[in-house]
Amino acid sequence: MPTRSGDVRDDDLVALYDATPDDAPFVRLNMVSTLDGAGVGPDGRSGSINTPADHEIFALLRAWADVILVGAGTARAEEYGPARTAPRWTSRRNGRAADPAIAVVTRSGRLPEPLADAETGEVLLVTAGQADATELDRGTSALGADHVLQHDSDEVDLAATVRWLQQRGLRRVLCEGGPSLAADLVGGDLVDELCLTWSPRLVGGSAGRILHGDQLAGHGTLLSLLHEDGTLIGRWDLRAGMTS
């Protein structure tokens, strides 16, 4: 049943978004789409189609997460820096690190500049066997070898990546895109929950959707749906499984 966010207290939001197991990895995918299906605005960024209500849930999800998993292209386009927990949600860290780590997925091994030069916050690099040696050396020098995972194959093994994060104590994984990484996670049956916001905007043009890659088959089970000022914010359980 749709519910206005204005009628939902912070404790209610926490009850919706914190109910996840602590003894196993839990992967959430958080994406935003316009009414006409665009995953980004005319400037090529999802930030230009966000709404205030979406920003609130975005901040809550980051406070929930141990680590934010993001593709390097999205990190560059959205100008990612180290994650910072919003003051409203600092109590949700519950004795964990003050802010979530950021794990950047890049086949080339190139780490976005703001993250390579970050002086605070934990940054991890996940790459593939085809990574450029110079870029990989640069990332390893900036982050430390124990913060870099290089797979042997030419593709990033996302299942192994989630296991590596869990071994580091980072069980709550929040993927923020981009569309190719999101599709690979969903296609690999690695996403437990899809958090999707519909922004009440129309952008037209040729902007891509929130998933980009091979065709997928499957469905999700609706868990909750919130509404505020035309923005719809939903959660879908994907644990029934997806097949590519």
Side-chain angles (χ1 to χ4, degrees):
M1 177 181 296
T3 307
R4 281 193 58 83
S5 294
D7 299 328
V8 179
R9 300 172 303 173
D10 282 2
D11 287 347
D12 297 321
L13 290 176
V14 168
L16 284 177
Y17 286 91
D18 260 13
T20 54
D22 289 328
D23 57 349
F26 194 92
V27 179
R28 274 180 164 145
L29 172 61
N30 185 36
M31 303 293 278
V32 60
S33 172
T34 63
L35 291 181
D36 55 328
V40 294
D43 60 355
R45 301 175 61 181
S46 63
S48 62
I49 61 173
N50 289 138
T51 66
D54 183 50
H55 277 297
E56 291 180 13
I57 300 303
F58 176 88
L60 174 57
L61 285 171
R62 282 193 159 200
W64 165 87
D66 294 323
V67 59
I68 297 163
L69 187 66
V70 62
T74 293
R76 293 187 189 97
E78 305 287 346
E79 299 179 349
Y80 270 54
R84 293 288 178 264
T85 302
R88 175 181 176 182
W89 302 115
T90 52
S91 64
R92 306 317 309 160
R93 300 306 296 171
N94 293 326
R96 298 175 289 157
D99 305 299
I102 291 186
V104 179
V105 177
T106 165
R107 284 184 295 180
S108 71
R110 181 186 171 201
L111 189 63
E113 292 291 342
L115 295 173
D117 298 334
E119 296 181 357
T120 58
E122 184 176 18
V123 179
L124 306 166
L125 177 66
V126 181
T127 190
Q130 66 179 8
D132 179 271
T134 300
E135 292 289 356
L136 184 58
D137 286 346
R138 176 174 170 271
T140 301
S141 177
L143 305 179
D146 63 328
H147 282 60
V148 176
L149 173 64
Q150 182 178 21
H151 298 282
D152 294 331
S153 65
D154 287 342
E155 299 294 332
V156 171
D157 185 335
L158 292 175
T161 297
V162 172
R163 291 194 296 270
W164 179 66
L165 294 173
Q166 180 189 20
Q167 291 165 3
R168 298 182 66 90
L170 306 174
R171 295 182 175 87
R172 298 180 175 192
V173 181
L174 175 64
C175 179
E176 295 180 347
S180 295
L181 175 59
D184 289 343
L185 283 168
V186 173
D189 199 17
L190 295 172
V191 177
D192 296 286
E193 188 174 294
L194 169 63
C195 300
L196 176 61
T197 295
W198 280 289
S199 170
R201 303 187 184 188
L202 299 167
V203 300
S206 58
R209 302 187 304 177
I210 64 168
L211 301 180
H212 175 74
D214 295 335
Q215 288 187 332
L216 300 171
H219 68 278
T221 301
L222 182 65
L223 297 174
S224 65
L225 188 63
L226 302 174
H227 165 259
E228 182 170 276
D229 295 332
T231 299
L232 292 176
I233 302 174
R235 296 166 51 239
W236 280 265
D237 184 348
L238 299 187
R239 283 173 290 191
M242 305 286 291
T243 58
S244 56

